[in-house]
Structures are given as C-alpha cells and as structure tokens.
C-alpha cells in the first residue's frame, strides 16, 4: 500500500513539474472538457437557501482561447433541481404547500476573463499556472417537470479558479448562478403562486452550480510568430 501511494505521488509530481520538452511550452487555441458537481435552486418554493435540496450537475464544454487572459466557452449542462415550500416560513394563499422535482438542460456561451496571464512558460509575459476568473454569458434552458416541458432564455454568471496540472491539462472549480427569464423551471403548477402574474422579469427562477472540471487543450499555435504584443 505504501509503495502504491508513493508511486501515485511521484506520478502526480512528475506530471505537474515536467517541462524539459520544448513542446511543453507551446500554447494552444482550444480546449474541451467535462464537469460535474452539485446543483441548487431558488424560486417560488425556495427563496433563501439554494442548496436546501441539492441535486447533481454534469456536462461538457468547448473553449476558444484567443490569448492568456480570456476565453469564449460553449457549455452544455444537465442538472436536477428540487424544492419544497414546507421547509420555509412563507405562506401561500389557502395555506397550501408545494414541492417539485425537475431536470434541466442548459446550452449557452460565456465570456471568461482571467485575472492573471494563465499558462506555463513565456516568463516575459509573467504567466501563472493558476488564475481566478469571472464569466458572463447567455443561453437557453429546457426544463422538464412532471410531464411539463418549458423553455426560456437565461443569463449565467460565474466565478472560479483554474489550475494547470500540466501544459495541456487543466483543473477548474466554479460557482455559477443562472437567471432564467421564465417561471417554469419548477413546473407549470408553481406559476403565480402569490397570484401575481409572471413576466420576463417577475417571478423568475434561478439555479446554481458548484462544479469541478477537467479540460484538455489542442490546436497548437504557430511556433514561429512575428506578431509583437
């Protein structure tokens, strides 16, 4: 057991520090990856604790990397959401309690800004192998709940941190909140519970995610470059 543990540590350290090959300092234009974690919900039957009934989230993404400070990310996510009004003190007309369980499918595009020059090598650019980042985007949410199907546009907002395990392999941790411009993520029966007519801005739902991701870069940039930045 000790030998196995020692071997794992040696492999991780070797992967994270290996840079003897010139190819390890190359930069790449794209990355693909997967992510997974925990989801939460804010809406008609949960207005204060988004992770009262946590669900799961999973998905995949594709990034275009124009430079070391920014990225354009296309991301697909599916997540489970749940809520129960009996957990909270809010009272609905006629004293009714409501609960739901739904599955959402989210496809969107985000702009990411890295606070540091993210990468390995190119010391004159002060590259760092880790960086916090923020993201803002636009997308669409398809929700299914007890036979009801609904679609609405959304705006995702995220903060996170990314770390280069090695030149082409990245690890990320992200927290995101997504505002949905609709009131049917939690099902049609939970629309207008306060007898206030919904609109694009009123009675809208939110969902959140805490996700861990791993991505792999490809599409090496030209090694001989005459551009001066």
């Amino acid at each position: 057991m000790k030998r196995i543990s020692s071997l794992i540590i040696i492999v991780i350290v070797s992967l994270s520090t290996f840079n003897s090959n010139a190819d390890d300092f190359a930069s790449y234009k794209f990355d693909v990856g997967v992510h997974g974690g925990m989801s939460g919900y804010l809406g008609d039957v949960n207005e204060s604790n988004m992770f009262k009934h946590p669900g799961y989230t999973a998905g995949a993404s594709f990034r275009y990397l124009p430079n070391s400070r920014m990225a354009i990310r296309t991301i697909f996510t599916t997540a489970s959401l749940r809520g129960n009004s009996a957990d909270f003190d809010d009272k609905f007309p006629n004293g009714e309690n409501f609960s739901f369980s739904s599955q959402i499918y989210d496809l969107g595009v985000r702009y990411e800004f890295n606070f540091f020059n993210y990468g390995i090598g190119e010391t004159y650019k002060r590259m760092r192998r880790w960086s916090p980042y923020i993201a803002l985007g636009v997308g669409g949410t398809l929700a299914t709940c007890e036979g009801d199907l609904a679609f609405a546009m959304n705006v995702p907002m995220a903060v996170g941190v990314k770390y280069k395990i090695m030149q082409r392999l990245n690890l990320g941790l992200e927290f995101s909140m997504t505002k949905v411009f609709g009131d049917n993520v939690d099902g049609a029966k939970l629309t207008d519970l306060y007898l206030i007519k919904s609109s694009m801005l009123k009675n809208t739902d939110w969902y959140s995610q805490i996700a861990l991701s791993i991505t792999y870069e490809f599409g090496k940039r030209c090694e001989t470059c005459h551009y001066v930045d």
Side-chain angles (χ1 to χ4, degrees):
M1 188 66 181
K2 289 183 178 179
R3 290 182 178 179
I4 295 176
S5 300
S6 299
L7 181 59
I8 293 174
I9 293 173
I10 291 172
V11 170
I12 293 174
V13 171
S14 298
L15 286 175
S16 62
T17 60
F18 179 74
N19 58 16
S20 60
N21 193 312
D23 186 59
D24 289 328
F25 294 116
S27 60
Y28 298 86
K29 296 183 289 186
F30 310 103
D31 79 19
V32 293
V34 294
H35 60 270
M38 181 172 66
S39 62
Y41 152 86
L42 287 177
D44 294 299
V45 295
N46 183 358
E47 297 183 351
S48 59
N49 185 348
M50 68 183 72
F51 293 114
K52 180 67 175 180
H53 292 283
Y56 75 88
T57 180
S61 69
F62 172 85
R63 276 191 185 98
Y64 168 56
L65 310 169
N67 56 53
S68 61
R69 294 296 292 271
M70 63 182 67
I72 306 298
R73 186 183 187 191
T74 301
I75 182 170
F76 171 77
T77 298
T78 182
S80 61
L81 304 177
R82 294 184 297 148
N84 192 330
S85 64
D87 298 325
F88 302 93
D89 296 330
D90 294 338
K91 301 298 180 184
F92 296 107
N94 303 318
E96 294 184 88
N97 286 322
F98 299 90
S99 64
F100 82 96
S101 177
S102 68
Q103 189 74 24
I104 62 163
Y105 304 90
D106 181 322
L107 180 63
V109 178
R110 304 178 185 180
Y111 170 79
E112 294 181 359
F113 176 77
N114 301 324
F115 285 86
F116 305 141
N117 287 319
Y118 181 63
I120 298 177
E122 297 177 294
T123 54
Y124 70 97
K125 290 185 178 180
R126 298 182 180 179
M127 305 288 276
R128 300 193 185 186
R129 67 189 309 157
W130 72 278
S131 177
Y133 68 91
I134 55 175
L136 179 67
V138 63
T141 299
L142 180 67
T144 175
C145 180
E146 299 179 1
D148 297 320
L149 196 64
F151 175 82
M153 299 301 293
N154 69 51
V155 172
M157 297 158 274
V159 295
V161 61
K162 55 184 71 171
Y163 174 76
K164 276 196 171 295
I165 302 173
M166 53 190 303
Q167 180 61 37
R168 301 176 71 171
L169 200 61
N170 307 278
L171 192 65
L173 179 64
E174 179 181 282
F175 171 74
S176 66
M177 290 286 295
T178 301
K179 179 177 177 63
V180 184
F181 292 100
D183 196 29
N184 293 102
V185 165
D186 43 18
K189 72 177 183 179
L190 299 188
T191 302
D192 304 333
L193 295 182
Y194 293 104
L195 305 181
I196 301 174
K197 185 174 178 58
S198 295
S199 69
M200 180 175 283
L201 298 177
K202 290 194 305 182
N203 291 6
T204 54
D205 297 320
W206 293 72
Y207 50 87
S208 57
Q209 302 173 69
I210 298 176
L212 188 67
S213 66
I214 187 165
T215 64
Y216 179 78
E217 297 179 6
F218 65 98
K220 191 186 337 184
R221 301 181 193 277
C222 62
E223 295 181 1
T224 303
C225 185
H226 302 289
Y227 176 77
V228 179
D229 59 358

